Amino acid sequence: MKIILVINPISGDKNKTVFIDFAKGFMDNSKIDFELYKTTGHRDCEKLNQLIVKHTPDKVIIVGGDGTLNLFLKPLVEHKTKVGFIPMGSANGLAAEFNLTKTARILFKKYVQSHETKALDVLSINDEHLFLHLGDIGANANLVANYDKDEERGMFTYAKHFWSEFQNLKSFEIDIKTDRMQYERKGVMLAICNGKKFGTGIPLNTIGKMDDGIFELVVVKAMDFTDLIKATLSKFDEDHKVKNLETFQAKTATIKLKQPQLLQIDGEVVKEFTKLEVKVLDEALSFIKHQT
């Protein structure tokens, strides 16, 4: 067996040295041939693609946040590589989607030993940006961008930018044409969903499934303080529903905006757009099952 282990050393401000030592020792003892790749922020996707072409691994196991996995989707999809994901980032929405509640060591061993996979859909925006979980434009994307610019980290800093964005919410016009219908809406945010929850655990899309061949567009029409409290409660009790949401399902969608809006995907800021072409790539990613 050949494994490529990909580590994002700075994701989530978590020290991964102990885990790396464990993983290397486990593979050495198990007589598994492996390559270790640490991201640098410079041509990482291209470099992983080169490693996959050179070594044709049986599995790629990625350690980092949701954005780390998204970064490598293109070569993983193109080469139909079996992939495992260990959440150690700031945004860990995928951990909730996949029920990745075990420790990093246990997850790693299960991925190495598992012989089963599950095919997951991947979403594409403008034939350029691939992602597995959630993307959005509007209020949350602005919050993420401002948080990224801040030198401070942690919940206090996040709360500061959350409150600032809440106080300055502005609606914008959204024209949506899907393979099913056409809609004109106004909202403070539009989410493009393959999954259900933000990395914070707050549920946004209650009907989403990552293997159903469709995605959801969720328009957040308005938000008041009561909505924020209920959203927070929803993290712990899914009987609480966030108000002022409207959800559309589609296989393809064209989204047009009169004013440029910032796009973020799983905690990674992309750039401003006035038009988004969204489509689902059916069963494009082969995800290793960790529960057998």
Side-chain angles (χ1 to χ4, degrees):
M1 181 186 295
K2 179 77 175 188
I3 290 177
I4 296 178
L5 176 60
V6 179
I7 304 284
N8 183 340
I10 64 171
S11 63
D13 292 327
K14 297 174 182 176
N15 190 319
K16 303 172 183 69
T17 303
V18 173
F19 170 77
I20 292 172
D21 290 342
F22 161 78
K24 290 167 66 176
F26 180 81
M27 288 188 285
D28 282 336
N29 292 335
S30 302
K31 308 299 182 185
I32 294 172
D33 190 15
F34 70 92
E35 296 290 328
L36 175 64
Y37 178 74
K38 295 182 181 180
T39 63
T40 64
H42 179 63
R43 297 170 53 210
D44 288 313
C45 186
E46 178 185 340
K47 291 176 182 176
L48 179 61
N49 184 66
Q50 292 171 350
L51 285 174
I52 292 174
V53 170
K54 180 179 179 180
H55 298 287
T56 58
D58 297 284
K59 300 174 182 179
V60 171
I61 299 175
I62 295 175
V63 181
D66 294 353
T68 307
L69 179 55
N70 281 339
L71 175 64
F72 298 112
L73 281 178
K74 185 175 181 180
L76 294 172
V77 168
E78 286 182 353
H79 296 290
K80 304 184 185 304
T81 307
K82 297 176 183 177
V83 61
F85 175 64
I86 298 176
M88 284 193 187
S90 301
N92 291 312
L94 287 172
E97 298 287 347
F98 297 146
N99 193 29
L100 303 179
T101 57
K102 305 294 185 182
T103 66
R105 293 187 180 196
I106 292 175
L107 279 175
F108 181 78
K109 291 171 67 175
K110 286 183 175 292
Y111 286 139
V112 171
Q113 296 166 349
S114 176
H115 299 289
E116 297 184 60
T117 60
K118 181 179 180 65
L120 300 177
D121 300 334
V122 172
L123 301 190
S124 169
I125 293 181
N126 293 352
D127 290 323
E128 182 179 3
H129 306 284
L130 300 184
F131 66 103
L132 193 60
H133 191 222
L134 297 174
D136 56 69
I137 56 175
N140 186 62
N142 296 333
L143 188 160
V144 171
N146 290 329
Y147 180 80
D148 281 352
K149 294 175 185 175
D150 201 313
E151 294 182 358
E152 300 293 328
R153 284 291 180 264
M155 287 306 297
F156 177 80
T157 304
Y158 182 86
K160 177 182 70 174
H161 291 293
F162 187 95
W163 182 246
S164 175
E165 185 62 30
F166 168 70
Q167 289 181 307
N168 295 284
L169 286 177
K170 294 181 180 179
S171 294
F172 54 92
E173 295 183 18
I174 312 165
D175 181 78
I176 303 170
K177 184 178 181 180
T178 74
D179 54 291
R180 303 181 180 192
M181 292 187 69
Q182 186 163 353
Y183 315 88
E184 292 183 358
R185 295 292 187 270
K186 288 188 69 174
V188 297
M189 176 178 137
L190 173 68
I192 305 164
C193 308
N194 196 28
K196 292 183 178 180
K197 296 182 179 182
F198 282 120
T200 56
I202 295 175
L204 181 68
N205 172 30
T206 58
I207 60 175
K209 295 181 180 179
M210 300 181 72
D211 60 353
D212 59 0
I214 55 177
F215 60 90
E216 286 73 40
L217 298 173
V218 180
V219 179
V220 182
K221 297 180 181 179
M223 190 174 287
D224 59 28
F225 191 72
T226 302
D227 292 334
L228 296 180
I229 296 298
K230 287 192 174 184
T232 304
L233 290 173
S234 295
K235 179 176 180 179
F236 307 102
D237 181 358
E238 293 194 7
D239 287 337
H240 288 276
K241 305 299 181 185
V242 183
K243 291 182 179 179
N244 293 313
L245 302 182
E246 187 175 11
T247 303
F248 310 106
Q249 291 186 309
K251 289 184 70 69
T252 63
T254 299
I255 300 163
K256 294 182 180 179
L257 309 161
K258 289 189 175 180
Q259 299 294 328
Q261 297 293 332
L262 196 62
L263 170 70
Q264 76 85 25
I265 297 174
D266 285 329
E268 303 293 328
V269 178
V270 184
K271 62 179 181 180
E272 289 187 338
F273 291 90
T274 55
K275 183 179 180 181
L276 300 174
E277 297 280 359
V278 188
K279 63 183 178 183
V280 61
L281 308 180
D282 292 3
E283 299 184 344
L285 186 70
S286 181
F287 195 83
I288 304 168
K289 288 187 177 182
H290 66 285
Q291 294 175 322
T292 55

